[in-house]
Structure formats: C-alpha cells, structure tokens
C-alpha cells in the first residue's frame, strides 16, 4: 500500500463536516471558529533516518521540524500563529542535544512570530522523533487558499528554484510565509501547494484536487544552483524538499508577479492550467509533450 492510498483510505472514513471546512487532503485542515473566523492546522513528523541523519546538527533538525509546518501554513496563504512540539529523545541523549534541538525549533518559530504553546516529551527507543503542529489563520477578510481552486486559463507559478535540496537546503530552507502573505494581499490565488515531495508529485496533487490539467514547460522550470551533478531537470522535478510554493493566478497578474518577485524572492511562470483529464503534462524543449509521472518522494515503496 502506498502512502497516498492509505491517506485516501483514511479520508474516505473521515468526511469534512461539523466545522471541518476542509479535512484530509490539503496542506492544512481548515476549521471553522465561531463567527466568520477560521484557523488552519497542520502536523508533520520527522524521523531519524527518514528526514535527517543521526549526525545532522540538532539545531538544524529542530529548525526543519517547525519550518516544514510553516511551509504548509504558507501554502494556505495563511500566517502561522502557535506551535506545539512533540519530541521523542533517544535513550541516553545528552542534555545539550535536547536544548540545541529546541533552540533550532525556537529559532524558526521566532523568525516568523510564532509562539511555542505546548508539546510533549518522551523517550524513544528508535532514534530521534520530532513532530510539530502549527495553527495559523488567513489575513483578516481572506479565506485560506486550497489545492482545489485552480481554474482553466490561469498561469502556473513557482517561487525560488527547484532541486538539489539534499545538498543541505532541506535542513536550512526559509519557509515562504512572507511570499505567501504578499501574494494573497496582492491578488486572487486560484490554488496553492508547497513542494515537499517534488514538483512532479505535488503538481499532480494540485491538478487532481482542482480537476484540471497542468501544462508545464521544461525550459521555464528554474533549477537550483545546488543541483550538483546528473540531470538538472530530473533533480528539479523529483528531488523533493524544495519547500517552494506552486500556485495559480490569472495570466496578467502572473506577468506582473514575475516582474516584481514576492518579498524579495523570484517567482516564475512555469506553465498553464488547461482543461482535460486531471494530470500534468511536461512540454519539452522541442515542443514534444508527455504525461509527467509522479517521481517525487514516496514513503512506502510497495
Ligand atoms: P504535506 O506534505 O503537505 O504535509 P501530506 O502529503 O503529508 O501533506 O498529507 C496529505 C494530507 O493527508 C494532509 O491533509 C494530511 O493532514 C493528511 N494525512 C496524512 N497522514 C494522515 C493520517 N495518518 N491521518 C489523517 N490524515 C493524514
Ligand atoms: Mg504541504
């Protein structure tokens, strides 16, 4: 069973309703509050061996734990407000290891004005485990941006550059909250997702949830300088952990955003939303078109 088959299985048994506006399947859940307000909530677990190595710096691991959740809240066009942090510490851990881990988490929280409001601390017999939960909210008068809102005719854009995250950026990336908040303040956004698994996989999630096709142009995909060797396009499509934002806006707005950037970060038009069976098409440099297979990170091989 693959990761997304299991998530689908869970989602089928837990429909939205009773104040759950958007349940399983987006970057965050959207929950109704009394009055017209809502909050968004996300939780992410990082495990030794899967998301970081035992030799990685504890500050960077703590930072990454909060930063991945910040990225999910940004992908909703929302601001992160409060964090909860659960840690499972390996037996015999050094006290300085734990404090450095928390220092890294607090650095990410402080950088984005987030308060650490609680958590849990346990011993782990299976390596370090750290799980962050973040609560955020849209700017006043706005609604969260979902994966499902892309409309035919919109342009597809991405922040920053893709690929090569394993060179170290996956531990040190800056979540795109400032960019997301400037984006929703400046224009209407059709759909948005953050690139955690890799463009080829995450673009498919956005396409599937919006019921549209995305046509992406190979020669427009911005590749990171950190792509060291091999095929740069494959790295940009499949490496994962870019934590950039993929979103759709009207073509006129897209042109203006590409000219100005967002919060000092470059944004690039990489494709367009077209009608047809949900999926992603990659248009090659020679104009050839092929369905783009999901080649990003997948937790269960079987
Ligand atoms: P992201 O990469 O944005 O963090 P995921 O791919 O991890 O998102 O998860 C996709 C969706 O599935 C999210 O809405 C998440 O809350 C939900 N989800 C993942 N695992 C579980 C689970 N074990 N139980 C309930 N919901 C889950
Ligand atoms: Mg996400």
């Amino acid at each position: 069973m693959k990761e997304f088959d299991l998530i689908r299985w869970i989602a089928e048994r837990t429909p939205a309703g009773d104040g759950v506006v958007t349940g399983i399947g987006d970057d965050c859940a959207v929950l109704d509050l009394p009055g017209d307000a809502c909050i968004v909530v996300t939780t992410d677990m990082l495990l030794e061996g899967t998301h970081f190595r035992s030799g990685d710096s504890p500050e960077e691991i703590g930072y990454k734990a909060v930063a991945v959740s910040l990225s999910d809240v940004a992908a909703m066009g929302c601001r992160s407000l409060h964090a909860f942090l659960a840690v499972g510490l390996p037996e015999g851990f050094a006290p300085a290891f734990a404090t450095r881990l928390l220092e890294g988490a607090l650095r990410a929280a402080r950088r984005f004005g987030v308060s650490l409001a609680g958590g849990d601390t346990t011993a782990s017999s299976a390596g370090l485990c750290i799980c962050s939960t973040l609560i955020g909210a849209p700017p006043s008068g706005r609604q969260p941006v979902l994966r499902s809102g892309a409309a035919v005719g919109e342009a597809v854009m991405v922040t920053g550059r893709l690929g090569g995250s394993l060179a170290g950026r996956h531990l040190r990336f800056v979540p795109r909250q400032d960019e997301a908040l400037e984006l929703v303040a400046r224009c209407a956004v059709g759909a948005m997702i953050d690139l955690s698994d890799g463009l080829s996989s995450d673009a498919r999630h956005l396409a599937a949830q919006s019921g549209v096709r995305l046509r992406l142009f190979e020669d427009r995909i911005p590749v990171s300088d950190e792509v060291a060797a091999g095929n740069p396009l494959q790295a940009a499509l499949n490496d994962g952990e870019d934590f950039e934002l993929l979103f759709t806006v009207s073509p006129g707005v897209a042109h203006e955003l590409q000219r100005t950037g967002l919060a000092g970060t470059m944004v690039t038009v990489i494709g367009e939303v077209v009608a047809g069976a949900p999926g992603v098409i990659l248009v090659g440099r020679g104009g050839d078109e092929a369905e783009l297979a999901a080649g990003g990170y997948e937790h269960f091989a079987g």
Side-chain angles (χ1 to χ4, degrees), residues 45-57 60-62 64-65 88 97 101 127-130 170-171 241:
M45 181 155 65
L46 302 190
L47 292 178
E48 184 171 326
T50 304
H51 301 93
F52 55 86
R53 302 187 191 90
S54 60
D56 287 333
S57 123
E60 289 190 339
I61 296 167
K64 178 176 180 179
F97 181 87
L101 186 75
L128 178 64
C129 168
I130 180 163
H170 77 108
L171 291 168
E241 303 224 299

Side-chain angles (χ1 to χ4, degrees), residues 211-268:
V212 297
R213 275 171 106 61
L214 304 185
R215 277 179 92 229
L216 306 184
F217 298 95
E218 180 184 329
D219 60 355
R220 298 203 198 152
I221 294 172
V223 180
S224 165
D225 298 338
E226 286 161 279
V227 173
N231 182 330
L233 176 69
Q234 291 308 314
L237 292 173
N238 302 327
D239 278 2
E241 303 224 299
D242 297 303
F243 297 107
E244 298 293 350
L245 298 174
L246 181 77
F247 57 92
T248 67
V249 290
S250 73
V253 167
H255 185 256
E256 180 61 12
L257 292 175
Q258 178 156 320
R259 193 179 67 74
T260 61
L262 283 170
T265 298
M266 65 180 267
V267 287
T268 310

Side-chain angles (χ1 to χ4, degrees), residues 6-41:
L6 179 58
I7 292 174
R8 194 175 312 119
W9 187 95
I10 301 168
E12 282 164 8
R13 283 154 185 80
T14 53
D18 290 336
V20 180
V21 183
T22 302
I24 294 170
D26 217 302
D27 292 296
C28 295
V30 181
L31 308 177
D32 257 342
L33 292 181
D36 276 344
C38 72
I39 54 169
V40 298
V41 183

Side-chain angles (χ1 to χ4, degrees), residues 132-281:
S132 79
T133 301
L134 272 189
I135 296 172
S140 84
R142 311 299 293 242
Q143 293 298 315
V145 179
L146 306 181
R147 293 178 181 180
S148 54
V152 171
E154 286 179 330
V156 180
M157 300 193 80
V158 72
T159 59
R161 295 177 179 277
L162 310 182
S165 63
L166 284 177
R169 189 159 37 86
H170 77 108
L171 291 168
R172 294 188 275 275
F173 67 95
V174 178
R176 298 307 194 188
Q177 174 170 288
D178 296 345
E179 291 77 1
L181 293 177
E182 184 180 322
L183 175 67
V184 297
R186 281 176 59 177
C187 62
V189 184
M192 185 148 62
I193 186 171
D194 70 323
L195 300 180
S196 52
D197 297 329
L199 176 63
S200 65
S201 295
D202 292 318
R204 291 181 74 86
H205 295 319
L206 190 147
Q209 304 232 6
S210 291
V212 297
R213 275 171 106 61
L214 304 185
R215 277 179 92 229
L216 306 184
F217 298 95
E218 180 184 329
D219 60 355
R220 298 203 198 152
I221 294 172
V223 180
S224 165
D225 298 338
E226 286 161 279
V227 173
N231 182 330
L233 176 69
Q234 291 308 314
L237 292 173
N238 302 327
D239 278 2
E241 303 224 299
D242 297 303
F243 297 107
E244 298 293 350
L245 298 174
L246 181 77
F247 57 92
T248 67
V249 290
S250 73
V253 167
H255 185 256
E256 180 61 12
L257 292 175
Q258 178 156 320
R259 193 179 67 74
T260 61
L262 283 170
T265 298
M266 65 180 267
V267 287
T268 310
V269 177
I270 61 168
E272 59 193 11
V273 183
V274 297
V280 182
I281 304 289

